[in-house]
């Protein structure tokens, strides 16, 4: 795969093109930036709104709903989200009275998401290799079956999986939450296979000619070349697992296996007389998103570095 | 790629060939084993069980009795089921239509304008947040009374819009809220595909005098086809199964205007305890998704790669 | 690559960690003398009431040191999903707060423990509870499945300053009458309280119903067949009841012309501009009144603390108006504690339930001024506690004195009933249909509950 780090914006120095085209790329680029700017604004504003609401107090929110700055600013939202207020205090602030074991929920989420991501990405990559790099009898048929799995709506497997997890005695445990997605998802296999198909085979073939095993070329050649896709998949899987709501809701019965999204759901549905604890909810959201942001920052760098890798033509 | 004679058996060196080769089978099985276990136990077995359940009147607590096609007959006569399918299709069309077009635009912009990690990070950030939270923050932003958007409209002099409460607007609202959330993710997927296009092709096109639009149409789109196809298939399947937003924001209302099929199935299963009927509807949804996937796969020829 | 081999090692390590973390032993209080330590799980949905019940639990454990109570609170929306999941998963709570509209399904499926033998064996006196509270907890099989905790009614909270400005006194409010034809003095009140953006009241000339600043009456976004949060005070004073027989009726009366007229009248208040149109508010009446955009709102006594906590707004309460039947009326709902049939500690669970149903605990609840406990002496204490806080809640108990109280409709297959009626009512408020559409719904309901 040849991807250079040279910017695609480099224009050829040919003079005869510049005179005809120099204005149009400039306008196009400006327009592009305007669109990009709009998208960035719309993307970011709700996050700002979350921050602003988290720093406001609930009572003031009702009377002053649209001020761009926090109203009646205080850190109480965050204190409620972290479980640092007493029940009395939190009821007075418009929150609800239950206790929040924030750090435990956080660690539960981390464990589940990590196990699921590592397992799913790795096992799916193995399978994708088999589907794209090897010919064997029945390959296309088996892949079609895997692909068919993409179409199974999640609600379809929800109850039978729930009963299965119960029968395995894993209800209200973290492995119980992780198991169904820990091995593979059809999407992961599909995604990686599509990607592997686009990667030229010569390097691996050369290695195999030199006597390397399939496993060896998989680890030492294909995976590094596929690092952008694998990293992307890993990040996506982590996020999906982190944000999963309905399945953990059914499996988890108590604090010991409760993950962060459930805690957020708890904020939502506690609702004294149905008005949500907006500032607490938004504070909890921000706290929950923070690990994801840090994670992405780390992985984003990896992806950029991998993109700079040059291979042999 | 070195060639070999068809049917020749290497005698001096082990030269693996990309041909139908039964000797690959044991290695292939080794590679496939963990994924197949997961697939079989947590996808296939529940699916089979789900299909079986659709022919029974299973109600969570008591083992079900076989009732044949009764659930299916009930489904055909059920106006709420058809309304749910209708509502869901509308949702998917708006959601996927807007999302794919804008994501493609965004991916190209990211590719051409800036590789900045900041930009990519920002664009992806809504995906970090769960559906539950997305729904909550947009409930607040689009609220009739407290919402910032409505205040803005009011300030400009327009009428306030009942985003969540108007039966005609609620589906487009949910669709666009989910576009907000998934845009970055979709753009990222397409972006990953854009990475594999050889930049020298673009340079060559420039030398030949092609403008942005022409190189987009002639180079980007065709080479991107497998990825676009994959993105389209996967996102439309996911879109059909919209649930979290409806569950948090509208609970299927007002007056069933946002009662999408997955939510209806969930209600029938977990609040009315009629798993037999819920399974039957899930089977119907499965059939619909299969048809759509097959059609998309064929139409976009996603199985072929255009790398040449 | 090396990092993948490390990953291979990490996966099982994390797994083991998770499995171990999930299996930590429960804390057992070992200093209990002879009896084996038992931990009972107790579920409830109202976070406001949790402190009171935790106090009860502390008192209970002091008297029975080997039994501790572990509380689990889920919000209303999640509570029933989690409960069902727990029945299915064989991890049901030992004791939980139960609701009349929901318990029939559980009882029918054998998930609840029948309490009659236990009541007889311990000579538990069920007559201490207020009249009519324990009877609905007797299922179609004749067995009792819940011990009453508290009861609630609905009334109208109002913004006292707006009421004064509009020129109404407390006596006026107690004398309100209503009928489905012209709304009686109740509608006059609501119309006068409604103020449009130009300061014109709803009953004055030039009232602009498209531009209302303050609605006379708010509406809770809870559409269901009970009408508890919206119109039950009215339909109940018609001389009409939901079912031919309540509980366990087999025939709904939503096709009754008087009922349908009432429904049309009620939702029609929005068309007149006195009530917010559908979807205007997504929160309940406390928030609506708190926003200053609504003058009156109905709600149950359980919401008192939300209303009285509203900053800068003084709140009054008045009961439902007197209707054509000559009485004022309110739904009379009673919660109870049920025991799961699958509980491993049925004897201890029963002890806890008895305690919950005793004066000792109900007096504690009374003192928290959150709800009205089921035992009349505790109710009196609760009224005193409310009064001590300066919260005028006599309206809620006024129905017991010459008014009419009635149960919410209790039938089998309540889930399906709700699923049919809720969208139908929403459609009426949205103007997509009128109340005559309920006749067709009624036929469907009869089929569902008549089975």
């Amino acid at each position: 795969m040849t991807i250079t780090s040279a910017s695609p914006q480099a224009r050829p120095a040919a003079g005869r093109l510049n005179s005809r085209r120099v204005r149009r790329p400039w306008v196009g680029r400006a327009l592009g930036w305007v669109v990009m700017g709009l998208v960035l604004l719309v993307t970011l504003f709700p996050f700002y709104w979350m921050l602003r609401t988290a720093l406001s107090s609930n009572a003031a929110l009702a009377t002053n709903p649209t001020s761009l700055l926090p109203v009646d600013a205080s850190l109480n939202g965050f204190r409620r989200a972290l479980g640092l207020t007493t029940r009395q205090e939190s009821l007075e602030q418009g929150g609800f009275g239950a206790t929040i074991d924030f750090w435990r929920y956080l660690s539960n989420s981390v464990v589940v998401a990590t196990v699921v991501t590592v397992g799913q990405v790795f096992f799916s990559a193995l399978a994708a290799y088999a589907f794209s790099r090897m010919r064997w009898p029945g390959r296309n048929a088996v892949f079609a079956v895997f692909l068919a799995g993409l179409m199974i709506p999640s609600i379809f497997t929800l109850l039978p999986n729930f009963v299965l997890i119960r029968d395995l005695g894993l209800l209200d445990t973290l492995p119980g939450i992780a198991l169904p997605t820990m091995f593979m998802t059809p999407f992961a296999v599909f995604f990686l296979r599509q990607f592997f198909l686009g990667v030229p085979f010569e390097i691996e073939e050369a290695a195999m000619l030199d006597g390397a095993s399939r496993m060896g070329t998989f680890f030492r050649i294909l995976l590094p070349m596929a690092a952008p896709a694998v990293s992307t998949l890993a990040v996506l899987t982590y996020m999906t697992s982190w944000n999963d709501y309905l399945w953990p809701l059914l499996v988890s019965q108590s604090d010991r296996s409760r993950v962060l999204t459930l805690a957020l759901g708890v904020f939502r549905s506690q609702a004294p007389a149905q008005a949500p604890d907006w500032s607490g909810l938004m504070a909890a959201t921000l706290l929950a998103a923070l690990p994801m942001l840090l994670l992405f920052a780390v992985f984003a760098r990896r992806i950029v570095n991998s993109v700079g890798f040059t291979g042999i033509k | 790629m070195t060639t070999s004679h068809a049917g020749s058996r290497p005698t001096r060196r082990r030269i693996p060939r990309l041909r139908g080769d039964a000797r690959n089978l044991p290695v292939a099985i080794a590679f496939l084993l963990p994924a197949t276990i997961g697939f079989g136990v947590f996808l296939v077995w529940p699916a089979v069980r789900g299909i079986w359940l659709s022919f029974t009147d299973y109600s969570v607590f008591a083992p079900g009795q076989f009732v044949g096609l009764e659930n299916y007959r009930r489904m055909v006569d059920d106006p709420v089921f058809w309304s749910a399918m209708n509502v869901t299709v509308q949702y998917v069309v708006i959601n996927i239509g807007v999302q794919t077009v804008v994501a493609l635009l965004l991916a190209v912009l990211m590719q051409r304008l800036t590789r900045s990690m900041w930009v990519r990070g920002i664009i992806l950030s809504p995906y970090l947040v769960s559906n539950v939270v997305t729904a909550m923050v947009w409930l607040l932003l689009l609220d009739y009374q407290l919402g910032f958007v409505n205040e803005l409209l009011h300030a400009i002099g327009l009428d306030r819009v009942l985003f969540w409460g108007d039966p005609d607007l609620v589906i487009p609202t949910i669709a666009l809220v989910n576009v907000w959330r998934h845009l970055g993710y979709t753009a990222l997927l397409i972006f990953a595909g854009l990475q594999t296009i050889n930049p020298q092709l673009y340079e060559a096109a420039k030398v030949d005098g092609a403008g942005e639009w022409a190189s987009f149409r002639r180079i980007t789109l065709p080479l991107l086809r497998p990825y676009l196809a994959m993105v389209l298939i996967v996102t439309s399947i996911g879109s059909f199964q919209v649930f979290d937003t409806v569950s948090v924001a509208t609970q299927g209302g007002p007056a069933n205007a946002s009662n999408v099929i997955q939510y209806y199935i969930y209600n029938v299963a977990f609040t009315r305890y009629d798993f037999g009927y819920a399974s039957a509807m899930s089977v119907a949804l499965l059939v619909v998704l299969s048809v759509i996937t097959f059609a998309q796969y064929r139409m976009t020829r996603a199985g072929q790669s255009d790398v040449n | 690559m090396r990092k993948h081999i490390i990953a291979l090692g990490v996966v099982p390590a994390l797994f083991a960690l998770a499995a171990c973390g999930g299996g930590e032993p429960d804390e057992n209080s070992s200093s209990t003398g002879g009896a084996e330590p038992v931990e009972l799980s107790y579920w409830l949905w109202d976070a406001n009431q949790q402190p009171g019940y935790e106090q009860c639990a502390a008192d209970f454990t002091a008297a029975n040191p080997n039994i501790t109570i572990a509380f689990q609170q889920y919000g209303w929306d999640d509570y029933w999903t989690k409960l069902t999941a727990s029945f299915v998963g064989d991890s049901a709570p030992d004791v939980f707060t139960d609701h009349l509209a929901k318990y029939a399904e559980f009882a029918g499926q054998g998930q609840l423990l029948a309490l009659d033998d236990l009541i007889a064996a311990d000579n538990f006196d069920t007559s201490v509870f207020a009249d009519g509270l324990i009877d609905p907890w007797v299922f179609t099989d004749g067995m009792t499945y819940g011990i009453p905790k508290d009861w609630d009614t609905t009334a109208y909270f109002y913004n006292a300053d707006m009421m004064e400005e509009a020129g109404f006194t407390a006596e006026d409010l107690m004398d309100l009458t209503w009928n489905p034809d012209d709304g009686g003095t109740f509608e006059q009140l609501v119309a006068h309280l409604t103020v449009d953006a130009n300061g014109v009241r709803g009953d004055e000339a030039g009232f602009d119903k498209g531009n209302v600043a303050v609605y006379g009456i708010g509406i809770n976004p809870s559409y269901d067949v009970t009408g508890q949060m919206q119109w039950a005070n009215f339909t109940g004073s018609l001389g009409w009841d939901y079912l031919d027989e309540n509980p366990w009726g087999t025939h709904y009366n939503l096709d009754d012309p008087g009922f349908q007229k009432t429904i049309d009248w009620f939702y029609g208040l929005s068309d007149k501009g006195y009530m917010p149109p559908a979807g205007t508010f997504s929160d309940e009446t406390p928030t609506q009144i708190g926003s200053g955009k609504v003058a009156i709102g109905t709600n149950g006594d359980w919401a008192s603390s939300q209303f009285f906590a509203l900053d800068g707004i003084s709140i009054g309460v008045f009961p439902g108006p007197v209707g054509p039947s000559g009485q004022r009326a309110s739904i009379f709902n009673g919660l109870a504690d049920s025991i799961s049939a699958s509980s491993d500690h049925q004897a201890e669970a029963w002890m806890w339930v008895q305690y919950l149903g005793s004066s000792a605990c109900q007096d504690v609840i009374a003192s928290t001024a959150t709800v009205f406990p089921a035992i009349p002496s505790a109710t009196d204490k609760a009224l005193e506690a409310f009064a001590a806080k300066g919260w005028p809640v006599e309206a809620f108990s006024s129905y017991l004195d010459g008014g009419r109280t009635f149960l919410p409709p209790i039938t089998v297959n309540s889930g399906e009933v709700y699923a049919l009626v809720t969208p139908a009512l929403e459609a009426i408020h949205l103007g997509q249909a009128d109340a005559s559409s309920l006749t067709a719904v009624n036929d469907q309901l009869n089929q569902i509950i008549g089975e």
Side-chain angles (χ1 to χ4, degrees), chain C residues 126 268 277:
Chain C
T126 56

Side-chain angles (χ1 to χ4, degrees), chain B residues 8-91:
Chain B
S8 72
R9 294 185 54 210
T11 51
R12 286 175 292 139
R13 302 175 290 172
R14 287 189 309 122
I15 306 176
R17 295 282 180 261
L18 276 183
R19 295 183 295 134
D21 191 345
R23 277 177 310 164
N24 276 333
L25 205 50
V27 185
I29 290 179
F31 272 78
L32 276 179
L33 197 62
T36 312
I37 292 177
F39 184 70
V41 172
F42 294 105
L43 266 177
V44 175
W45 169 235
V48 168
R49 202 161 181 190
I51 296 178
W52 162 246
L53 285 180
S54 75
F55 295 110
T56 69
D57 62 358
Y58 184 60
S59 73
V60 183
F61 303 113
Q65 310 234 316
F66 186 75
V67 293
L69 288 175
E70 186 180 307
N71 287 325
Y72 291 96
R73 262 183 239 124
R74 186 173 151 197
M75 187 173 79
V76 170
D77 289 333
D78 184 359
V80 182
F81 169 73
W82 291 109
S83 142
M85 290 302 286
N86 183 22
V87 159
T88 311
V89 168
Q90 283 176 34
Y91 168 80

Side-chain angles (χ1 to χ4, degrees), chain C residues 359-371:
Chain C
S359 288
C361 179
Q362 299 212 355
D363 285 347
V364 168
I365 301 299
S367 65
T368 62
T370 45
V371 284

Side-chain angles (χ1 to χ4, degrees), chain B residues 59-61 74 80 143-146 160 162 165-167 253-256 266 270-274, chain C residues 80-81 84 87-88 105-106 109 111 278-283 293 415-416 419 423 426-427 430 432:
Chain B
S59 73
V60 183
F61 303 113
R74 186 173 151 197
V80 182
D143 190 69
Y144 191 72
Q145 299 287 332
L146 296 176
R160 287 172 187 265
L162 203 51
D166 184 338
N256 279 343
Y266 168 80
F270 288 97
T271 64
R272 290 191 256 169
Y273 316 134
D274 194 346
Chain C
W80 303 103
T81 317
T84 313
F87 286 141
V88 172
E105 317 250 13
F106 298 137
Q109 285 143 358
Q111 296 299 321
T280 312
F281 289 99
S282 44
D283 297 327
K293 298 188 179 150
E416 282 195 62
E426 284 179 321
L430 282 165
Q432 293 174 338

